[in-house]
Amino acid sequence: MVFTNSWQQVQNELDRAGPGVFSTGELADSLAVVPPLLGEAIEYFRGQKQKYLLLTTKSCNVKLFECKAV
């Protein structure tokens, strides 16, 4: 069985946390399998000024990070 928190639960925790760097790949490749909440996380961190998402990977799967035209 795979358990995944809802994005709202994750965002609530991030909102409560202070400024800093949030790493997803300290012990694993962040993009080896694209996590179900990664898209929401990227959009959340794009809007932050004192919180940063650190991803480490060997993957070339970077389309999620392309800037959207305004």
Side-chain angles (χ1 to χ4, degrees), residues 13 15 24 29 33 59:
E13 292 296 321
D15 289 342
T24 65
D29 188 323
V33 176
S59 173

Side-chain angles (χ1 to χ4, degrees), residues 22-51:
F22 298 82
S23 176
T24 65
E26 188 173 326
L27 300 174
D29 188 323
S30 298
L31 299 178
V33 176
V34 177
L37 301 179
L38 184 58
E40 289 95 336
I42 291 169
E43 291 307 313
Y44 174 85
F45 282 97
R46 275 187 177 148
Q48 300 299 308
K49 295 193 186 281
Q50 295 185 339
K51 294 179 183 178

Side-chain angles (χ1 to χ4, degrees), residues 47-60:
Q48 300 299 308
K49 295 193 186 281
Q50 295 185 339
K51 294 179 183 178
Y52 305 91
L53 179 61
L54 175 63
L55 300 170
T56 56
T57 188
K58 294 177 184 172
S59 173
C60 61

